[in-house]
């Protein structure tokens, strides 16, 4: 039988979020019921509220979360009640053409829970990224649960569920930055700062952070940036020259665009060394268009890549990164700007939009 819990919904486009009672059914085949302990406030949740993802309102917001499995449905073998888990929004199918060729991080048929959470009047909710974790409990596909060491606080573990993993993975998995190489990161909010942290983790030599905001540049320096560049008022050529001056005149081996607009992508394209790599991890507006001289694409060589969720495989990456955190080698706690309650999410959106926080994290009573 279903349970009633408190959750945060977006009822219509740009309307303030609401704390309401939601009905969470028992898990069906292949599903898990998770008691949420903490959930980060991510830009994607704001995009849902603003109607920038789709129009399937009402949305149950929240997706960057960790908690404890309370119950599982039939045929679930990878997690069990009592397991401490990080939720992910790409449950690997194991059967599609990407999985079949040994690249499950690119799974083309990821899935969510089939059972529906509802409002009291029976209205079905659309969980953000198939998770819906601004709630005391949520129902997900069991494959969206990744078991990790419970010694890690939920407030930091949950951040791997989205933005921090996207940034670390953009540098390490997609960009494949290596020990001693140079990397430039354009845009140093949560994702960009995580890319800086990832580059430092693998021993990159020169780590250049670029942003319009000195506060974000200080965050990036705290995560391991060796150089910072405030790009306010700089045109493309000046940005490229700044990166080249810090890399022996050549450009960076890897450039991560964590903004996702044509102007920053062009900066990334020209700020890399010959045969270097550009990684796009900032999500572009659907109307954005890019124009580059094709001869430059050919002549500069290298790789132009997009990073899906940091090209992560949760079962591989989440436990490893949590272990690094517990060894004091990955400062996940530095991403947590504040801990808030379920009633404070609207204010957290405003702080995030103003660039005042890296992450506000909703903490639930356990």
């Amino acid at each position: 039988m279903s349970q009633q819990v408190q959750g945060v919904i977006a009822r219509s486009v740009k309307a303030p979020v609401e704390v309401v009672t939601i009905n969470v059914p028992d898990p069906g085949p292949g599903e898990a019921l998770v008691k949420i302990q903490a959930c980060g406030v991510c830009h994607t949740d704001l995009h849902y509220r603003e109607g920038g993802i789709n129009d399937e309102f009402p949305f149950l917001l929240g997706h960057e979360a960790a908690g404890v499995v309370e119950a599982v449905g039939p045929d679930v073998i990878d997690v069990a009640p009592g397991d401490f888990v990080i939720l992910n929004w790409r449950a690997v199918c194991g059967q599609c053409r990407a999985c079949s060729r040994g690249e499950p991080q690119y799974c083309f048929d990821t899935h969510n829970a089939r059972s529906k959470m509802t409002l009291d009047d029976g209205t079905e909710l659309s969980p953000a990224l198939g998770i819906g974790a601004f709630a005391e409990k949520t129902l997900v596909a069991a494959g969206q649960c990744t078991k990790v060491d419970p010694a890690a606080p939920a407030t930091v573990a949950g951040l791997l569920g989205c933005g921090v993993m996207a940034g670390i993975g953009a540098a390490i998995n997609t960009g494949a930055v290596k020990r001693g190489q140079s990397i430039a990161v354009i845009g140093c909010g949560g994702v960009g700062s995580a890319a800086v942290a990832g580059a430092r983790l693998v021993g990159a030599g020169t780590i250049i952070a670029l942003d319009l905001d000195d506060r974000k540049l200080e965050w990036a320096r705290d995560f391991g940036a060796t150089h910072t560049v405030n790009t306010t008022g700089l045109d493309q050529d000046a940005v490229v020259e700044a990166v080249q001056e810090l890399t022996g005149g050549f450009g960076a081996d890897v450039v991560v665009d964590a903004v996702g607009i044509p102007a920053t992508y062009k900066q990334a394209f020209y700020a890399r060394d010959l045969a270097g790599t550009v990684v796009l991890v900032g999500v572009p507006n659907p109307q954005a268009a890019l124009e580059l001289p094709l001869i430059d694409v050919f002549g500069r060589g290298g790789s132009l890549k997009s990073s899906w969720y940091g090209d992560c495989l949760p079962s591989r990456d989440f436990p490893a990164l949590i272990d690094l955190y517990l060894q004091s080698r990955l400062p996940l706690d530095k991403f947590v700007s504040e801990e808030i309650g379920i009633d404070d999410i609207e204010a957290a959106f405003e702080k995030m939009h103003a660039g005042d926080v890296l992450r506000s994290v909703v903490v639930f009573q356990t």
Side-chain angles (χ1 to χ4, degrees), residues 139-322:
L139 186 71
V140 295
Q144 294 178 271
C145 300
T146 303
K147 185 177 178 180
V148 297
D149 192 329
T155 48
V156 300
L159 301 184
L160 292 178
C162 190
V164 172
M165 184 68 253
I168 292 175
I172 296 177
N173 295 337
T174 316
V177 64
K178 297 178 177 61
R179 184 173 61 251
Q181 285 190 323
S182 58
I183 183 172
V185 178
I186 302 174
C188 294
V191 173
S193 290
V196 168
R200 180 185 187 182
L201 186 66
V202 297
T206 300
I207 304 173
I208 307 166
L210 302 96
D211 202 284
L212 300 168
D213 189 335
D214 283 334
R215 294 174 301 176
K216 293 181 180 180
L217 293 174
E218 283 303 310
W219 293 339
R221 190 174 289 278
D222 201 28
F223 283 109
T226 59
H227 302 81
T228 60
V229 178
N230 189 312
T231 56
T232 302
L234 300 184
D235 62 15
Q236 176 180 299
D237 289 343
V239 171
V240 171
E241 288 172 7
V243 174
Q244 289 174 337
E245 287 176 3
L246 296 169
T247 53
F250 302 113
D253 296 306
V254 178
V255 183
V256 174
D257 177 6
V259 179
I261 61 175
T264 53
Y265 190 89
K266 288 181 179 179
Q267 292 168 6
F269 179 83
Y270 289 106
R272 66 186 171 126
D273 196 359
L274 292 174
T277 300
V278 175
V279 177
L280 176 62
V281 66
V283 181
N285 183 297
Q287 282 72 49
L290 177 69
E291 183 175 344
L292 285 170
L294 193 56
I295 188 62
D296 287 354
V297 176
F298 173 79
R300 298 188 63 81
S303 300
L304 308 179
K305 297 183 175 183
S306 296
S307 185
W308 298 350
Y309 201 1
D311 289 349
C312 81
L313 183 60
S315 60
R316 173 196 67 197
D317 294 338
F318 289 3
L321 292 174
I322 288 296

Side-chain angles (χ1 to χ4, degrees), residues 59-231:
F59 293 110
L60 176 59
L61 299 179
H63 60 280
E64 201 174 69
V68 174
V69 175
E70 185 172 282
V72 298
D75 305 322
V76 174
I77 58 175
D78 291 333
V79 293
D83 285 346
F84 178 62
V85 296
I86 299 172
L87 300 184
N88 73 79
W89 45 272
R90 289 180 60 80
V92 172
C93 76
Q95 299 175 341
C96 70
R97 59 192 186 279
C99 291
S100 296
R101 66 184 181 222
E103 296 179 318
Q105 70 272 24
Y106 299 130
C107 179
F108 300 145
D109 193 23
T110 59
H111 55 284
N112 304 316
R114 294 186 177 181
S115 305
K116 299 297 184 180
M117 295 178 279
T118 66
L119 297 176
D120 260 351
D121 64 2
T123 301
E124 291 186 356
L125 293 166
S126 299
L129 291 176
I131 293 176
F134 285 157
E136 294 166 322
K137 297 179 184 181
T138 194
L139 186 71
V140 295
Q144 294 178 271
C145 300
T146 303
K147 185 177 178 180
V148 297
D149 192 329
T155 48
V156 300
L159 301 184
L160 292 178
C162 190
V164 172
M165 184 68 253
I168 292 175
I172 296 177
N173 295 337
T174 316
V177 64
K178 297 178 177 61
R179 184 173 61 251
Q181 285 190 323
S182 58
I183 183 172
V185 178
I186 302 174
C188 294
V191 173
S193 290
V196 168
R200 180 185 187 182
L201 186 66
V202 297
T206 300
I207 304 173
I208 307 166
L210 302 96
D211 202 284
L212 300 168
D213 189 335
D214 283 334
R215 294 174 301 176
K216 293 181 180 180
L217 293 174
E218 283 303 310
W219 293 339
R221 190 174 289 278
D222 201 28
F223 283 109
T226 59
H227 302 81
T228 60
V229 178
N230 189 312
T231 56

